[in-house]
Amino acid sequence: MERPRDGAARLPRSPSLSPSSNAAENTACVPSPSSIERRMSSASNDAENTEQRITFRRQHSCTMRKSVKSTFANSDRVLKYLSDIQKQGFTVESVPTESTAMETGQVNIVEGTIENMEADVLVNSAAYNLDLNHGAVAKAMSRAAGPDLQSHCRQDYPNGIHGGEVADTPPARLKCKRVFHCCILPWDKRASDTQKTMLKSVVTCCLNKMVQKGFTSIVFPVFGTGSLAYPPEVSAKLMLNTIYNHPKRSTLNIIIVVHPQDKENLKVLNHQHSAYEFEVSFAKVTIKQGCGSQEKVDAVVNNVDYDMQLDGYLSKELVDKCGGRFKQNSQAQKQVLQEKGAVAIERGFRLSMPWKMVIHVCGAFFKYKWQNAVVECIRIARKKRARSIVFPCLKVGQGNSTLDISQVANYIYEGIKLYTVADIVKENKITDIRFTILDQKVFSKMRDIISERHLKESNGPRGEPPPETTLIITGDVKATSEISQHLDDLLKETKERTMEDMRLSNLDDEELTKLIQKGRRCSVELDIDQSKNMVTILGFEENINEAWSETAAILEEAGSKKNQVQPNSVRWMYSGMGKRSSCDAMSNKMIETAYQQGQQYCFVNDDKDRRWRVSLVPGSFSWSLIQEPKNEYILTRSEITSNQQLPSSWTLMGIESFMEVEIMRGSKEFAEVERQFMETFAGSCDIVKIVRIQNKWLYQQYIAERQKFDNLYEPEYTNELMLWHGTKKENTQMISKFGFDRNYRGANATKYGWGTYFAKESKYSAHDLYSPVDGNGCKNIFQVCVLAGYSTKGKEDMKVLPERRSQIKYDSAVDTIGNPSVYVIFRDSQTYPKYLISFKNDQ
């Protein structure tokens, strides 16, 4: 290896250092940043060419500090790169990045022009076609960025974007790292809910994207108040509430910039920014800046001492507003206050007062545990049939007050939680709870504390934000910048995969924590959204695959504990003496309970008070009367699937009735389908992808047909089979959406009848006659659930199936009775296309 001139280091250009290469040779995970030095040191000691290390002259050396997420710093790709540069004479250290919590979590409203702002992300309000000549914000950003910004939009999004979507482009000359272009529809009073949802969606999407990309600062314009005609109050409230309710808000610096000439929007935003709203159970809670006596509510709370002196700030204001009679009525209730800690005054108000009652509360009575005081005040107000209440927090954090801001904030939140959990009465609930704070700084701090706690408790545990590691690299002054760029390029190779699974919503705190820790040990980040049953895995591809398997295993384990089928959604049937009958309801429940508990034997009494002995030995379910032990009846178990019940393995579909879901390579589901396919495939092939077909209508139709089979036939004749069907690429969409159509009979064969043909072995369907190669060089075969039932020998001229006995027809035709390889189905409802496998034959 050449010695560089004047001590300048040349970085190795081997494939292992190329950002586009797969540098990981194994998927071992390193649990902590401190292990980076050990692994790099080990790799360095094992190097064969240690004599080629470069010695740098002190005057040509410099030290570079670079922060990297610890999960990625522990990945094999990054560790290998650092080890390689260490071999070239650079020194590499790693230390935990100092917390920047005090520098983040800010939401600020500023006057200015967005094109002149500086942040990681600038947000543009754009038209659906991303023409930057439309809209004031888009025009201003386009002028500042130059023509490249428009070029990026046209190149990356030639068809534009839809309403509610966000485009992500390079910044051109703007002072940011990325530009997010958002599209919302014009305001329409008749469909205002749609517009509101869309605005919240684009704000949420921008915040999600910046978190995924590792950014910490973003600047928004005021959405929609120009030519789109959104009311300023609506836009401001939606934007701020969406921002404050985002789970990662406390780690971000967020700015809403208002044009200097737009005084109305500035005024509205500042007003909305002085309030924070959230919901706890049935109650809407508002934390706002202001004086409680000005609120239009049913009840206002006033803090007093034991002697009801009414000499506090709010007490004096209330006496001034309500008159001397109010003071007399209040002091007359001093004994009640001393006994109960709180008392309501309903008389003595002037007609101009906006509330119906004042509730005096003594903090000393509750030993200043304000959560109990909050609950008691709400209880009194509800008893008096109030629906709204305000708590002024006047002296928190001011002067000689001994009340700590964070303590009061937590007391407030705990009091609300106590009330909403304890109050199970359906009527006369307090549904509007407000807290007012005079001081702006105190309000901001209390708002941040309460909003952060609410998000944490609402979304469940997510662990602390992923820690960061600072890499300290010392070496040649010219090469360190190149190393920094290499690291940036390497980290750009991280990808994300999203797993949707209904079982995510069932995970408890302990299981969620376990899932997050597993992800970090696999050098990936997990973003879990239980409300959407979704987990997003971010990292290098080889680490994602490992984390995917670990996540699936945890979900499977949790599912086996929590997702057991309810006894009333399972039917146990018994067969004997030529007929098939259902077990009575009580027996059904007892048998299913024993089955779920793993019992192999149990005893049940049926509705006729007969005693049965039940055998639940796997593969041999049966029961017999105690009095007739030799007369055993075969038991079968089947889950009852209603129109609303769908397979738990399906991705959530919402209102959609059809969906195609590509199965993640490396998952258990992919491996199982691949195994079944290859079992009967002649030779070898490369499976390009496997797609799960989720078609509610077809599935429900098939399940209804399967239940008919279960009711009519002995278990050995149900014959639900997994068969194969090859077809042309252009037919796959029609089959996935509408099922198999026997009217296309004869497309490839009619040798055994005029129906739809299915093969027992995948190699049969893989023949070029049935699954020709498409334009991408792939062949396409469906794995299909087929109800074969009773079969007869097929014939070429068979248009309908013959009767097997009077008024009852056969269910299918086959090529050979006894060991058929081909099945012909004449009723479309007897089939369901479960998976579509696309593959290439090995040459």
Side-chain angles (χ1 to χ4, degrees):
M1 177 172 161
E2 270 188 32
R3 180 177 294 274
R5 295 191 307 272
D6 299 326
R10 288 195 180 92
L11 292 176
R13 297 298 182 180
S14 63
S16 63
L17 291 181
S18 171
S20 62
S21 67
N22 185 348
E25 296 175 357
N26 57 68
T27 55
C29 300
V30 182
S32 65
S34 62
S35 63
I36 294 178
E37 294 97 326
R38 293 198 302 270
R39 290 180 61 179
M40 290 188 301
S41 176
S42 175
S44 181
N45 291 335
D46 292 340
E48 296 179 1
N49 299 317
T50 53
E51 71 278 2
Q52 294 183 0
R53 286 177 138 190
I54 302 172
T55 303
F56 291 98
R57 296 179 183 175
R58 185 175 298 276
Q59 62 269 29
H60 291 292
S61 296
C62 74
T63 298
M64 175 191 73
R65 302 175 69 92
K66 191 170 189 66
S67 291
V68 179
K69 289 180 181 177
S70 296
T71 46
F72 300 156
N74 285 329
S75 67
D76 285 338
R77 288 201 197 187
V78 173
L79 287 174
K80 189 176 189 307
Y81 179 76
L82 295 175
S83 178
D84 283 342
I85 65 172
Q86 197 177 35
K87 295 173 191 176
Q88 308 309 314
F90 291 84
T91 60
V92 181
E93 299 177 72
S94 67
V95 295
T97 302
E98 293 182 5
S99 171
T100 56
M102 297 302 294
E103 302 172 9
T104 58
Q106 299 296 315
V107 180
N108 295 309
I109 297 166
V110 302
E111 285 188 80
T113 54
I114 193 165
E115 67 271 21
N116 293 318
M117 299 298 291
E118 186 172 349
D120 290 339
V121 178
L122 298 183
V123 180
N124 176 31
S125 179
Y128 71 94
N129 59 1
L130 296 182
D131 185 346
L132 302 184
N133 291 316
H134 294 286
V137 173
K139 287 180 181 177
M141 293 184 75
S142 180
R143 283 195 299 269
D148 286 350
L149 188 62
Q150 181 68 80
S151 299
H152 290 313
C153 290
R154 288 173 178 161
Q155 181 179 347
D156 297 344
Y157 299 89
N159 299 319
I161 56 177
H162 298 292
E165 291 184 345
V166 177
D168 174 9
T169 70
R173 295 203 300 262
L174 293 173
K175 300 172 185 177
C176 61
K177 297 176 181 177
R178 303 295 291 182
V179 176
F180 293 167
H181 307 267
C182 304
C183 176
I184 58 175
L185 298 180
W187 179 255
D188 183 351
K189 288 183 179 179
R190 295 167 298 179
S192 60
D193 287 345
T194 302
Q195 271 75 16
K196 289 177 181 178
T197 301
M198 191 173 295
L199 195 153
K200 289 192 290 186
S201 175
V202 296
V203 173
T204 302
C205 185
C206 287
L207 297 176
N208 288 343
K209 276 180 174 289
M210 69 174 293
V211 169
Q212 291 166 5
K213 292 177 178 292
F215 298 144
T216 57
S217 59
I218 188 170
V219 180
F220 287 99
V222 182
F223 277 124
T225 55
S227 59
L228 298 179
Y230 279 64
E233 295 82 4
V234 171
S235 177
K237 185 174 182 178
L238 288 174
M239 288 186 69
L240 287 168
N241 279 346
T242 304
I243 288 168
Y244 271 103
N245 285 317
H246 192 274
K248 299 296 177 67
R249 192 267 308 165
S250 62
T251 66
L252 307 175
N253 283 317
I254 302 169
I255 293 174
I256 300 176
V257 62
V258 186
H259 196 279
Q261 297 179 1
D262 195 354
K263 300 299 182 184
E264 182 185 2
N265 265 326
L266 184 62
K267 180 179 178 181
V268 170
L269 273 165
N270 282 326
H271 176 72
Q272 292 290 347
H273 198 215
S274 62
Y276 167 62
E277 287 183 7
F278 62 99
E279 292 184 358
V280 178
S281 186
F282 52 81
K284 182 185 78 171
V285 184
T286 306
I287 313 293
K288 63 190 304 184
Q289 188 181 352
C291 178
S293 62
Q294 307 298 325
E295 296 293 310
K296 293 182 179 180
V297 291
D298 294 334
V300 59
V301 176
N302 178 40
N303 184 29
V304 296
D305 57 19
Y306 267 120
D307 296 327
M308 192 76 83
Q309 291 299 314
L310 300 182
D311 53 3
Y313 178 89
L314 181 59
S315 294
K316 290 179 180 178
E317 185 179 353
L318 291 172
V319 170
D320 289 343
K321 287 186 175 183
C322 301
R325 189 178 169 192
F326 166 77
K327 184 174 183 178
Q328 294 172 2
N329 290 342
S330 297
Q331 291 177 335
Q333 296 294 322
K334 180 172 70 173
Q335 186 175 350
V336 178
L337 176 76
Q338 292 172 346
E339 291 175 355
K340 297 184 178 180
V343 63
I345 308 298
E346 297 182 86
R347 295 172 297 159
F349 301 155
R350 291 171 179 159
L351 295 177
S352 60
M353 294 302 99
W355 13 264
K356 298 177 182 177
M357 71 189 78
V358 173
I359 299 175
H360 295 301
V361 61
C362 179
F365 179 89
F366 297 98
K367 298 181 180 179
Y368 297 101
K369 292 187 176 179
W370 286 102
Q371 67 269 44
N372 298 327
V374 168
V375 173
E376 179 62 18
C377 291
I378 295 176
R379 187 193 66 79
I380 292 173
R382 185 179 66 77
K383 193 173 182 180
K384 300 288 186 181
R385 295 187 175 274
R387 305 301 292 271
S388 55
I389 188 170
V390 61
F391 293 81
C393 307
L394 295 171
K395 294 187 177 181
V396 178
Q398 297 181 20
N400 296 322
S401 173
T402 58
L403 298 175
D404 178 76
I405 297 174
S406 60
Q407 274 187 326
V408 174
N410 284 305
Y411 283 153
I412 287 172
Y413 192 82
E414 287 164 12
I416 297 166
K417 292 281 286 187
L418 282 171
Y419 161 63
T420 54
V421 171
D423 194 346
I424 59 174
V425 180
K426 293 183 179 179
E427 298 178 352
N428 301 327
K429 290 182 181 293
I430 302 286
T431 56
D432 183 356
I433 304 173
R434 308 178 194 179
F435 295 86
T436 58
I437 300 101
L438 276 176
D439 186 84
Q440 194 273 330
K441 291 182 178 180
V442 175
F443 159 74
S444 296
K445 188 168 183 180
M446 288 188 69
R447 175 194 60 200
D448 291 347
I449 294 169
I450 291 175
S451 64
E452 189 167 347
R453 177 164 179 181
H454 175 62
L455 285 170
K456 183 178 180 181
E457 297 199 9
S458 299
N459 296 324
R462 295 291 178 272
E464 295 299 319
E468 288 199 345
T469 294
T470 296
L471 301 175
I472 304 173
I473 302 173
T474 303
D476 181 76
V477 66
K478 295 179 181 178
T480 49
S481 60
E482 190 175 350
I483 291 174
S484 177
Q485 184 60 50
H486 268 279
L487 282 169
D488 288 339
D489 292 342
L490 191 62
L491 293 173
K492 285 178 183 177
E493 289 185 9
T494 56
K495 300 178 180 179
E496 67 176 48
R497 295 284 185 274
T498 299
M499 174 189 289
E500 295 184 46
D501 195 303
M502 295 175 69
R503 294 171 293 187
L504 276 165
S505 60
N506 293 327
L507 297 184
D508 57 27
D509 291 358
E510 184 179 345
E511 289 163 334
L512 283 171
T513 302
K514 180 180 177 182
L515 191 57
I516 292 167
Q517 290 172 346
K518 284 274 189 182
R520 290 184 181 170
R521 281 198 290 269
C522 293
S523 298
V524 300
E525 290 181 20
L526 299 183
D527 184 10
I528 304 169
D529 188 339
Q530 284 187 287
S531 65
K532 297 179 181 178
N533 289 298
M534 183 183 297
V535 56
T536 301
I537 306 175
L538 178 65
F540 294 110
E541 187 164 2
E542 63 272 14
N543 301 124
I544 289 176
N545 291 338
E546 183 181 3
W548 186 283
S549 298
E550 294 282 0
T551 302
I554 291 174
L555 291 175
E556 193 169 324
E557 180 183 346
S560 65
K561 296 177 183 176
K562 299 183 180 180
N563 288 344
Q564 292 180 331
V565 180
Q566 297 300 312
N568 59 3
S569 64
V570 169
R571 177 168 52 198
W572 284 88
M573 304 187 74
Y574 62 96
S575 308
M577 301 180 67
K579 66 176 183 178
R580 184 176 172 88
S581 306
S582 297
C583 298
D584 62 275
M586 182 57 70
S587 299
N588 191 89
K589 183 175 182 179
M590 294 177 70
I591 295 171
E592 178 60 22
T593 301
Y595 172 81
Q596 290 192 10
Q597 291 175 353
Q599 299 179 27
Q600 292 197 352
Y601 297 96
C602 68
F603 294 90
V604 300
N605 290 348
D606 65 14
D607 53 2
K608 297 178 181 178
D609 205 27
R610 294 179 298 178
R611 185 78 166 164
W612 295 81
R613 180 183 185 275
V614 182
S615 170
L616 297 175
V617 177
S620 180
F621 298 159
S622 65
W623 73 343
S624 59
L625 285 167
I626 295 294
Q627 298 88 343
E628 304 173 11
K630 293 183 179 180
N631 293 332
E632 281 194 340
Y633 297 85
I634 298 173
L635 280 174
T636 55
R637 178 182 183 272
S638 60
E639 294 182 15
I640 302 170
T641 305
S642 68
N643 286 348
Q644 285 74 40
Q645 290 176 315
L646 298 169
S648 60
S649 59
W650 278 18
T651 297
L652 289 180
M653 301 177 69
I655 62 172
E656 299 294 331
S657 60
F658 172 76
M659 185 182 290
E660 292 180 311
V661 180
E662 184 172 346
I663 308 304
M664 179 71 178
R665 186 179 295 274
S667 66
K668 287 186 177 180
E669 186 177 8
F670 188 100
E672 179 59 20
V673 178
E674 182 181 38
R675 183 191 64 77
Q676 294 172 5
F677 182 79
M678 297 305 298
E679 270 184 354
T680 57
F681 188 84
S684 59
C685 69
D686 175 26
I687 294 182
V688 177
K689 65 178 178 177
I690 298 175
V691 175
R692 186 197 310 125
I693 311 301
Q694 297 187 184
N695 189 318
K696 288 182 182 178
W697 180 80
L698 282 182
Y699 183 78
Q700 290 162 5
Q701 173 184 267
Y702 174 77
I703 290 299
E705 193 72 21
R706 190 176 72 183
Q707 289 174 354
K708 290 180 186 177
F709 274 63
D710 289 344
N711 292 334
L712 289 173
Y713 300 144
E714 297 287 330
E716 62 267 28
Y717 289 109
T718 300
N719 281 349
E720 182 183 36
L721 304 176
M722 285 294 175
L723 304 178
W724 308 97
H725 180 90
T727 190
K728 298 177 182 178
K729 173 66 175 177
E730 52 266 32
N731 295 338
T732 57
Q733 271 290 302
M734 291 293 290
I735 292 172
S736 297
K737 287 185 176 180
F738 305 108
F740 296 97
D741 191 343
R742 62 192 179 283
N743 291 317
Y744 290 110
R745 62 190 179 275
N748 290 321
T750 56
K751 186 175 180 180
Y752 304 111
W754 289 28
T756 306
Y757 282 61
F758 301 93
K760 188 176 180 180
E761 298 179 337
S762 56
K763 65 182 180 183
Y764 187 97
S765 299
H767 194 283
D768 288 344
L769 177 65
Y770 309 120
S771 54
V773 176
D774 63 21
N776 296 320
C778 293
K779 297 164 77 71
N780 299 280
I781 293 180
F782 282 98
Q783 185 184 48
V784 189
C785 301
V786 178
L787 297 171
Y790 282 88
S791 301
T792 186
K793 181 75 163 62
K795 299 178 182 178
E796 189 169 358
D797 60 349
M798 185 182 288
K799 296 183 179 179
V800 294
L801 288 162
E803 292 184 355
R804 64 183 178 89
R805 66 183 192 211
S806 179
Q807 303 297 314
I808 299 177
K809 292 183 177 181
Y810 284 96
D811 302 299
S812 60
V814 295
D815 59 340
T816 304
I817 298 294
N819 186 25
S821 59
V822 175
Y823 289 80
V824 186
I825 302 299
F826 292 74
R827 285 172 55 84
D828 302 333
S829 58
Q830 287 176 227
T831 64
Y832 180 77
K834 192 174 184 181
Y835 294 100
L836 175 61
I837 297 100
S838 299
F839 66 97
K840 294 180 180 181
N841 282 326
D842 287 347
Q843 299 298 323

